[in-house]
Amino acid sequence: MAMLTAPHYPIIYVRGYAGNDDEIEDTVADPYMGFNLGSTKIRQQWTGRVVRHYFESPLVRLMKDFEYRDVYSAGLDGAELDVPPEEPIGPRSIVIYRYYDQVSTAFGEGKQRSMESFGEGLGTLIGKLRDRICATEEEKAGFRVHLVGHSMGGLVIRCFLQNDAISTPEVKALVDRVFTYASPHDGIEFEIIGNVPGFFTRNSADNFNRDRMCQYLGLPAGTEKVNTLAGRFDPDRFFCLVGTNPRDYTVAAGWSSRIVGPFSDGLVRIDNAHVTGPAADPARPTRIAPRAFVHRSHSGHYGIVNSEEGYQNLTRFLFGDARVDGELHVRELTLPPDVQKLKDDGKQIRASYHFECITAVRGARWDLSRRVMAENSTLFRKYGELFPEKAGAFDRPHHDRPLLFTTFLNSAARVNRRRRSLGFSVDLGVLVPEYEVEGALWLRNHYPGGYIFRDKINIEAIPPENEGEAWRLRYGFDSDAPNAATKEAEATAADGALTFLIPIRQNRRPGIDADLVLVARGR
């Protein structure tokens, strides 16, 4: 049997919420509980024509691309120790945590179980998997596992990791990385009534109520933001994939997406789908776990799990070589000349800005992350939030540099294997805001949808040819030379990271003076 080697650890998949008895029975009747579902659809165009793309499913792709296997043998489940001991379970195994078996009438008692019991069961499964894969104490010491959760599955994972009354620290320490698709980490929100009410306990729907979440996540009662890892797990090892397409979520004949609202995947609000927490390394100030935004709905044929974007983010996070964080350090945002004249005359000017960002790897037809105004997923910042020394009474009092993206790169997944470099692009746009002059909207010479800055930046990360040398980075703007990276980026090294600066300068008004700062770290 092959030895367990990083980063290709066993993967445990934890599925999402099944809302009624029929859904539960359908769930337990599926060996892979949805992880095997693929899709030929990306989304519908305005004409009604469906854009076609063949995605076989995360399960099949992990088997094809990374030589993973399931743990079923002769109709039995190896992860649950149902198969004979002589049947080997390889380290590159995919395990389905079948927690809904306990709830079904076919395999269990037909009664709802608590999130705490699901979390406890996950810890038990991890321990069984370790004992089944590892033959010696030395192998057990090096055992690790990746956890992947969809929707409520991400909350089951957090319950296991964060609740001190569940499992043991030794078992929790076996988790290497966590990846969640569209999990409601800060609860489920409706436009009219707000958070799911605590009294709505039918089919355990109160699992998405914040008061109940505080209980099973081990958080103090009344915690306002329940998407915190609370120091129980390093947020740098936790990735959140956020869906931004409510339109194609067809559950309940589309009523779910109407009730939740447009800033969502049809069920989970965009702002509720990530986690925060103190980083394990104090030298790294990251407070929000790595995340990406994809124009996918919560589930279904247009869903986030059975999508190329989801798979590419999953495998790059679990197996990638490098992490790149892109921040925009803004020095100045200039006003249109006539608005500037009003400001010079003593008029009060108010403005806010939307930052769009699309990241994609070289040679791909899909995006790793996509935040655009038309899909309600941009970064929104008031002028005073970008420049606190000029902040007004309604601005947040701290300096907020927009984190545009976090991308993981994997040399083994290069589209063109003949090129050593890792290439990706950043399509960056800063939208012209609606200016207010003395509290009134300024409409003179204002055209909606205009940009202060918009360009695609092509980036090529070049690995060192000799030991002791550093990575290099070349970049280029499409407006200068389309699809080319010819300029060498200035680089500095500190705290185990390389920081590259890409200057963004515009002399016209309105315009921007900023640096795109890329911070690259090894795995």
PDB file of all heavy atoms in Angstrom, residues 334-353:
ATOM      1  N   THR A 334      -8.814  60.479  -7.401  1.00  0.00           N
ATOM      2  CA  THR A 334      -9.084  61.875  -7.772  1.00  0.00           C
ATOM      3  C   THR A 334     -10.509  62.044  -8.269  1.00  0.00           C
ATOM      4  O   THR A 334     -11.139  61.112  -8.767  1.00  0.00           O
ATOM      5  CB  THR A 334      -8.107  62.351  -8.856  1.00  0.00           C
ATOM      6  OG1 THR A 334      -8.198  61.471  -9.989  1.00  0.00           O
ATOM      7  CG2 THR A 334      -6.691  62.341  -8.321  1.00  0.00           C
ATOM      8  N   LEU A 335     -11.013  63.254  -8.147  1.00  0.00           N
ATOM      9  CA  LEU A 335     -12.390  63.595  -8.520  1.00  0.00           C
ATOM     10  C   LEU A 335     -12.440  64.139  -9.944  1.00  0.00           C
ATOM     11  O   LEU A 335     -11.436  64.626 -10.476  1.00  0.00           O
ATOM     12  CB  LEU A 335     -12.935  64.650  -7.560  1.00  0.00           C
ATOM     13  CG  LEU A 335     -13.057  64.256  -6.083  1.00  0.00           C
ATOM     14  CD1 LEU A 335     -13.361  65.480  -5.244  1.00  0.00           C
ATOM     15  CD2 LEU A 335     -14.136  63.195  -5.901  1.00  0.00           C
ATOM     16  N   PRO A 336     -13.621  64.084 -10.581  1.00  0.00           N
ATOM     17  CA  PRO A 336     -13.775  64.779 -11.868  1.00  0.00           C
ATOM     18  C   PRO A 336     -13.485  66.268 -11.688  1.00  0.00           C
ATOM     19  O   PRO A 336     -13.707  66.826 -10.593  1.00  0.00           O
ATOM     20  CB  PRO A 336     -15.241  64.538 -12.225  1.00  0.00           C
ATOM     21  CG  PRO A 336     -15.649  63.347 -11.429  1.00  0.00           C
ATOM     22  CD  PRO A 336     -14.850  63.397 -10.169  1.00  0.00           C
ATOM     23  N   PRO A 337     -12.980  66.948 -12.707  1.00  0.00           N
ATOM     24  CA  PRO A 337     -12.601  68.364 -12.561  1.00  0.00           C
ATOM     25  C   PRO A 337     -13.700  69.251 -12.007  1.00  0.00           C
ATOM     26  O   PRO A 337     -13.450  70.102 -11.143  1.00  0.00           O
ATOM     27  CB  PRO A 337     -12.207  68.774 -13.990  1.00  0.00           C
ATOM     28  CG  PRO A 337     -11.779  67.495 -14.641  1.00  0.00           C
ATOM     29  CD  PRO A 337     -12.646  66.434 -14.057  1.00  0.00           C
ATOM     30  N   ASP A 338     -14.951  69.092 -12.481  1.00  0.00           N
ATOM     31  CA  ASP A 338     -16.006  69.987 -12.005  1.00  0.00           C
ATOM     32  C   ASP A 338     -16.382  69.682 -10.554  1.00  0.00           C
ATOM     33  O   ASP A 338     -16.733  70.588  -9.795  1.00  0.00           O
ATOM     34  CB  ASP A 338     -17.240  69.932 -12.904  1.00  0.00           C
ATOM     35  CG  ASP A 338     -17.596  68.537 -13.362  1.00  0.00           C
ATOM     36  OD1 ASP A 338     -16.890  67.584 -12.953  1.00  0.00           O
ATOM     37  OD2 ASP A 338     -18.561  68.388 -14.117  1.00  0.00           O
ATOM     38  N   VAL A 339     -16.272  68.391 -10.139  1.00  0.00           N
ATOM     39  CA  VAL A 339     -16.525  68.065  -8.738  1.00  0.00           C
ATOM     40  C   VAL A 339     -15.380  68.562  -7.865  1.00  0.00           C
ATOM     41  O   VAL A 339     -15.596  69.058  -6.752  1.00  0.00           O
ATOM     42  CB  VAL A 339     -16.722  66.542  -8.569  1.00  0.00           C
ATOM     43  CG1 VAL A 339     -16.935  66.189  -7.097  1.00  0.00           C
ATOM     44  CG2 VAL A 339     -17.900  66.057  -9.392  1.00  0.00           C
ATOM     45  N   GLN A 340     -14.164  68.460  -8.373  1.00  0.00           N
ATOM     46  CA  GLN A 340     -13.015  68.970  -7.633  1.00  0.00           C
ATOM     47  C   GLN A 340     -13.131  70.476  -7.410  1.00  0.00           C
ATOM     48  O   GLN A 340     -12.793  70.989  -6.332  1.00  0.00           O
ATOM     49  CB  GLN A 340     -11.722  68.649  -8.383  1.00  0.00           C
ATOM     50  CG  GLN A 340     -10.450  69.094  -7.672  1.00  0.00           C
ATOM     51  CD  GLN A 340     -10.238  68.385  -6.357  1.00  0.00           C
ATOM     52  OE1 GLN A 340     -10.311  67.159  -6.294  1.00  0.00           O
ATOM     53  NE2 GLN A 340      -9.966  69.134  -5.293  1.00  0.00           N
ATOM     54  N   LYS A 341     -13.636  71.199  -8.411  1.00  0.00           N
ATOM     55  CA  LYS A 341     -13.805  72.644  -8.262  1.00  0.00           C
ATOM     56  C   LYS A 341     -14.821  72.962  -7.157  1.00  0.00           C
ATOM     57  O   LYS A 341     -14.619  73.882  -6.361  1.00  0.00           O
ATOM     58  CB  LYS A 341     -14.251  73.255  -9.586  1.00  0.00           C
ATOM     59  CG  LYS A 341     -14.356  74.785  -9.551  1.00  0.00           C
ATOM     60  CD  LYS A 341     -14.737  75.338 -10.905  1.00  0.00           C
ATOM     61  CE  LYS A 341     -14.714  76.869 -10.864  1.00  0.00           C
ATOM     62  NZ  LYS A 341     -15.550  77.426  -9.798  1.00  0.00           N
ATOM     63  N   LEU A 342     -15.906  72.167  -7.093  1.00  0.00           N
ATOM     64  CA  LEU A 342     -16.893  72.368  -6.039  1.00  0.00           C
ATOM     65  C   LEU A 342     -16.265  72.106  -4.667  1.00  0.00           C
ATOM     66  O   LEU A 342     -16.543  72.821  -3.699  1.00  0.00           O
ATOM     67  CB  LEU A 342     -18.088  71.448  -6.259  1.00  0.00           C
ATOM     68  CG  LEU A 342     -18.961  71.744  -7.490  1.00  0.00           C
ATOM     69  CD1 LEU A 342     -19.964  70.620  -7.715  1.00  0.00           C
ATOM     70  CD2 LEU A 342     -19.683  73.073  -7.308  1.00  0.00           C
ATOM     71  N   LYS A 343     -15.415  71.088  -4.602  1.00  0.00           N
ATOM     72  CA  LYS A 343     -14.729  70.791  -3.335  1.00  0.00           C
ATOM     73  C   LYS A 343     -13.803  71.942  -2.954  1.00  0.00           C
ATOM     74  O   LYS A 343     -13.743  72.355  -1.785  1.00  0.00           O
ATOM     75  CB  LYS A 343     -13.943  69.491  -3.463  1.00  0.00           C
ATOM     76  CG  LYS A 343     -13.293  69.006  -2.172  1.00  0.00           C
ATOM     77  CD  LYS A 343     -12.633  67.644  -2.385  1.00  0.00           C
ATOM     78  CE  LYS A 343     -12.119  67.069  -1.068  1.00  0.00           C
ATOM     79  NZ  LYS A 343     -11.144  67.910  -0.399  1.00  0.00           N
ATOM     80  N   ASP A 344     -13.071  72.475  -3.946  1.00  0.00           N
ATOM     81  CA  ASP A 344     -12.174  73.598  -3.684  1.00  0.00           C
ATOM     82  C   ASP A 344     -12.944  74.838  -3.234  1.00  0.00           C
ATOM     83  O   ASP A 344     -12.404  75.681  -2.489  1.00  0.00           O
ATOM     84  CB  ASP A 344     -11.351  73.925  -4.938  1.00  0.00           C
ATOM     85  CG  ASP A 344     -10.396  72.805  -5.313  1.00  0.00           C
ATOM     86  OD1 ASP A 344     -10.090  71.970  -4.422  1.00  0.00           O
ATOM     87  OD2 ASP A 344      -9.981  72.748  -6.488  1.00  0.00           O
ATOM     88  N   ASP A 345     -14.199  74.922  -3.647  1.00  0.00           N
ATOM     89  CA  ASP A 345     -15.040  76.063  -3.247  1.00  0.00           C
ATOM     90  C   ASP A 345     -15.662  75.857  -1.871  1.00  0.00           C
ATOM     91  O   ASP A 345     -16.464  76.684  -1.416  1.00  0.00           O
ATOM     92  CB  ASP A 345     -16.150  76.291  -4.278  1.00  0.00           C
ATOM     93  CG  ASP A 345     -15.611  76.804  -5.610  1.00  0.00           C
ATOM     94  OD1 ASP A 345     -14.479  77.324  -5.623  1.00  0.00           O
ATOM     95  OD2 ASP A 345     -16.316  76.660  -6.635  1.00  0.00           O
ATOM     96  N   GLY A 346     -15.327  74.753  -1.210  1.00  0.00           N
ATOM     97  CA  GLY A 346     -15.804  74.526   0.149  1.00  0.00           C
ATOM     98  C   GLY A 346     -17.034  73.647   0.259  1.00  0.00           C
ATOM     99  O   GLY A 346     -17.573  73.475   1.363  1.00  0.00           O
ATOM    100  N   LYS A 347     -17.486  73.066  -0.841  1.00  0.00           N
ATOM    101  CA  LYS A 347     -18.643  72.187  -0.801  1.00  0.00           C
ATOM    102  C   LYS A 347     -18.263  70.823  -0.202  1.00  0.00           C
ATOM    103  O   LYS A 347     -17.146  70.345  -0.394  1.00  0.00           O
ATOM    104  CB  LYS A 347     -19.222  71.980  -2.212  1.00  0.00           C
ATOM    105  CG  LYS A 347     -19.593  73.266  -2.944  1.00  0.00           C
ATOM    106  CD  LYS A 347     -20.770  73.955  -2.277  1.00  0.00           C
ATOM    107  CE  LYS A 347     -21.209  75.168  -3.101  1.00  0.00           C
ATOM    108  NZ  LYS A 347     -22.346  75.900  -2.467  1.00  0.00           N
ATOM    109  N   GLN A 348     -19.214  70.210   0.516  1.00  0.00           N
ATOM    110  CA  GLN A 348     -18.967  68.888   1.081  1.00  0.00           C
ATOM    111  C   GLN A 348     -19.233  67.818   0.011  1.00  0.00           C
ATOM    112  O   GLN A 348     -20.306  67.745  -0.565  1.00  0.00           O
ATOM    113  CB  GLN A 348     -19.869  68.613   2.287  1.00  0.00           C
ATOM    114  CG  GLN A 348     -19.566  67.278   2.967  1.00  0.00           C
ATOM    115  CD  GLN A 348     -20.578  66.938   4.040  1.00  0.00           C
ATOM    116  OE1 GLN A 348     -21.770  66.847   3.748  1.00  0.00           O
ATOM    117  NE2 GLN A 348     -20.123  66.775   5.270  1.00  0.00           N
ATOM    118  N   ILE A 349     -18.217  66.990  -0.231  1.00  0.00           N
ATOM    119  CA  ILE A 349     -18.306  65.939  -1.242  1.00  0.00           C
ATOM    120  C   ILE A 349     -18.295  64.581  -0.539  1.00  0.00           C
ATOM    121  O   ILE A 349     -17.452  64.327   0.332  1.00  0.00           O
ATOM    122  CB  ILE A 349     -17.135  66.013  -2.247  1.00  0.00           C
ATOM    123  CG1 ILE A 349     -16.982  67.445  -2.800  1.00  0.00           C
ATOM    124  CG2 ILE A 349     -17.313  64.989  -3.355  1.00  0.00           C
ATOM    125  CD1 ILE A 349     -18.166  67.925  -3.576  1.00  0.00           C
ATOM    126  N   ARG A 350     -19.218  63.724  -0.910  1.00  0.00           N
ATOM    127  CA  ARG A 350     -19.270  62.357  -0.388  1.00  0.00           C
ATOM    128  C   ARG A 350     -19.222  61.390  -1.564  1.00  0.00           C
ATOM    129  O   ARG A 350     -19.812  61.648  -2.613  1.00  0.00           O
ATOM    130  CB  ARG A 350     -20.557  62.112   0.408  1.00  0.00           C
ATOM    131  CG  ARG A 350     -20.780  63.076   1.545  1.00  0.00           C
ATOM    132  CD  ARG A 350     -19.960  62.733   2.751  1.00  0.00           C
ATOM    133  NE  ARG A 350     -20.319  61.429   3.284  1.00  0.00           N
ATOM    134  CZ  ARG A 350     -19.662  60.816   4.250  1.00  0.00           C
ATOM    135  NH1 ARG A 350     -18.588  61.381   4.757  1.00  0.00           N
ATOM    136  NH2 ARG A 350     -20.050  59.648   4.696  1.00  0.00           N
ATOM    137  N   ALA A 351     -18.498  60.243  -1.372  1.00  0.00           N
ATOM    138  CA  ALA A 351     -18.392  59.267  -2.457  1.00  0.00           C
ATOM    139  C   ALA A 351     -18.104  57.888  -1.889  1.00  0.00           C
ATOM    140  O   ALA A 351     -17.570  57.743  -0.789  1.00  0.00           O
ATOM    141  CB  ALA A 351     -17.285  59.675  -3.434  1.00  0.00           C
ATOM    142  N   SER A 352     -18.482  56.870  -2.657  1.00  0.00           N
ATOM    143  CA  SER A 352     -18.138  55.492  -2.334  1.00  0.00           C
ATOM    144  C   SER A 352     -17.701  54.798  -3.618  1.00  0.00           C
ATOM    145  O   SER A 352     -17.967  55.273  -4.719  1.00  0.00           O
ATOM    146  CB  SER A 352     -19.326  54.763  -1.707  1.00  0.00           C
ATOM    147  OG  SER A 352     -20.446  54.821  -2.567  1.00  0.00           O
ATOM    148  N   TYR A 353     -17.024  53.662  -3.470  1.00  0.00           N
ATOM    149  CA  TYR A 353     -16.396  53.014  -4.610  1.00  0.00           C
ATOM    150  C   TYR A 353     -16.664  51.510  -4.594  1.00  0.00           C
ATOM    151  O   TYR A 353     -16.753  50.891  -3.531  1.00  0.00           O
ATOM    152  CB  TYR A 353     -14.882  53.261  -4.603  1.00  0.00           C
ATOM    153  CG  TYR A 353     -14.522  54.720  -4.721  1.00  0.00           C
ATOM    154  CD1 TYR A 353     -14.549  55.558  -3.607  1.00  0.00           C
ATOM    155  CD2 TYR A 353     -14.199  55.273  -5.951  1.00  0.00           C
ATOM    156  CE1 TYR A 353     -14.245  56.906  -3.716  1.00  0.00           C
ATOM    157  CE2 TYR A 353     -13.894  56.623  -6.068  1.00  0.00           C
ATOM    158  CZ  TYR A 353     -13.918  57.439  -4.948  1.00  0.00           C
ATOM    159  OH  TYR A 353     -13.630  58.763  -5.066  1.00  0.00           O
TER     160      TYR A 353
END
